[in-house]
Amino acid sequence: MDRRLRPLFPSLRRGIQTLATGITPAQLPTYYNASKPCLLDFSSLHKLKANEKWATDGRINNEYFESIITKDGVDPAVGVEKGRMDRDAVESGGESSDFQRFEMPLSFFLQCINHEVPQFRDLYLAQTYLTDSLPSLKDDLSPNPFLENASVEAIGFWIGRNTFTPPHYDPSGNIYMMVLGSKKVRLWKPQEKNPLGTAKLGSNFNFQTGKPDYEVTLEPGQVLFTPQGWFHELESKGLSAAVNWWFRLNSST
């Protein structure tokens, strides 16, 4: 059985609410309008080329991406992160001491990630709009029946090893699809102020103010919908790749 087609049983921390699963395109507007996160029905998306071509044998499919680079005639410079942007640093308005941002060609980044080049082992290509420079990748992401009656604002690519995206919220809906590896996602419902309060999320984390409403570990074959305004953080161990769509449903939906 194709592991991507197995039932969606999220890994949840005890005592935290359970996400609704298997939500179909017809059901998504209900969750969108009610501002409730959920796991979407992957059978609507499993035939996307992204799920078939982007990863193979637990690694990024470099040959495929190189063919896209050749087809579109550009090897785009991409911004990557090195080092961990930890929670404490983010809450204090800064970054951890070893955190760096710089650019490199996409092809070189993918080689570093796959072959674990020591000085570039834990790189993170985050929130990168690859379809802007490599339009052929759009063909790998359509059709997406969840977005037939939606306006897509941007498509983000997330590829890296041992990654962390600190707590934040998006001003629009977010459909996040895992392609390779796994990521733990924690979600907090919207409040007037940051739901983490004034507590630190490191050793002084206060579970009374900061315990997430939902926690799920996403794997290939799982797709998460996060409503606008919901705070969320994402963390991976090992190599992972994902793509997301930021969108707004049309008012008639």
Side-chain angles (χ1 to χ4, degrees), residues 86-161:
D86 59 40
R87 299 183 185 101
D88 289 337
V90 171
E91 288 186 359
S92 63
E95 296 170 345
S96 54
S97 59
D98 65 342
F99 185 82
Q100 304 174 52
R101 285 191 179 97
F102 50 89
E103 289 189 345
M104 61 173 56
L106 175 63
S107 60
F108 182 58
F109 164 77
L110 294 175
Q111 291 174 20
C112 291
I113 284 294
N114 267 346
H115 299 293
E116 300 187 45
V117 176
Q119 64 269 38
F120 295 128
R121 183 178 185 276
D122 292 338
L123 297 181
Y124 190 19
L125 183 150
Q127 194 173 323
T128 301
Y129 311 125
L130 285 182
T131 54
D132 290 349
S133 51
L134 297 173
S136 293
L137 288 174
K138 291 182 180 179
D139 296 336
D140 297 351
L141 298 170
S142 62
N144 184 336
F146 290 99
L147 300 173
E148 287 182 355
N149 296 306
S151 297
V152 177
E153 298 180 342
I155 299 173
F157 286 69
W158 310 79
I159 304 172
R161 190 183 299 276

Side-chain angles (χ1 to χ4, degrees), residues 43-209:
S43 66
S44 301
L45 299 172
H46 81 275
K47 291 185 178 180
L48 292 180
K49 286 185 180 179
N51 293 307
E52 299 175 354
K53 301 290 188 180
W54 289 6
T56 180
D57 298 325
R59 291 179 175 268
I60 302 297
N61 188 347
N62 277 12
E63 291 184 358
Y64 179 74
F65 278 95
E66 288 171 1
S67 72
I68 294 294
I69 288 171
T70 299
K71 180 179 179 180
D72 288 342
V74 61
D75 187 1
V78 294
V80 299
E81 301 175 0
K82 183 176 185 292
R84 183 182 175 95
M85 180 186 287
D86 59 40
R87 299 183 185 101
D88 289 337
V90 171
E91 288 186 359
S92 63
E95 296 170 345
S96 54
S97 59
D98 65 342
F99 185 82
Q100 304 174 52
R101 285 191 179 97
F102 50 89
E103 289 189 345
M104 61 173 56
L106 175 63
S107 60
F108 182 58
F109 164 77
L110 294 175
Q111 291 174 20
C112 291
I113 284 294
N114 267 346
H115 299 293
E116 300 187 45
V117 176
Q119 64 269 38
F120 295 128
R121 183 178 185 276
D122 292 338
L123 297 181
Y124 190 19
L125 183 150
Q127 194 173 323
T128 301
Y129 311 125
L130 285 182
T131 54
D132 290 349
S133 51
L134 297 173
S136 293
L137 288 174
K138 291 182 180 179
D139 296 336
D140 297 351
L141 298 170
S142 62
N144 184 336
F146 290 99
L147 300 173
E148 287 182 355
N149 296 306
S151 297
V152 177
E153 298 180 342
I155 299 173
F157 286 69
W158 310 79
I159 304 172
R161 190 183 299 276
N162 303 322
T163 67
F164 179 71
T165 302
H168 67 286
Y169 69 90
D170 298 326
S172 53
N174 183 340
I175 290 177
Y176 194 96
M177 182 176 75
M178 288 302 301
V179 176
L180 173 68
S182 64
K183 279 193 176 183
K184 180 177 289 186
V185 186
R186 300 180 181 91
L187 302 105
W188 294 263
K189 63 184 177 182
Q191 297 181 11
E192 291 185 6
K193 62 179 181 179
N194 189 317
L196 307 181
T198 58
K200 295 288 186 181
L201 274 179
S203 59
N204 297 322
F205 177 68
N206 185 336
F207 281 93
Q208 295 302 314
T209 60

Side-chain angles (χ1 to χ4, degrees), residues 10 12 17-21 36-39 187 214-216 224-225:
L12 296 169
Q17 300 177 58
T18 301
L19 285 169
T21 65
K36 291 184 67 68
C38 60
L39 289 170
L187 302 105
Y214 298 97
E215 181 175 300
V216 58
L224 174 67
F225 164 63

Side-chain angles (χ1 to χ4, degrees), residues 3-6 42 178-182 218-222:
R3 67 190 298 269
R4 295 173 299 180
L5 298 181
R6 68 189 186 286
F42 183 66
M178 288 302 301
V179 176
L180 173 68
S182 64
L218 298 177
E219 298 180 351
Q222 293 186 306

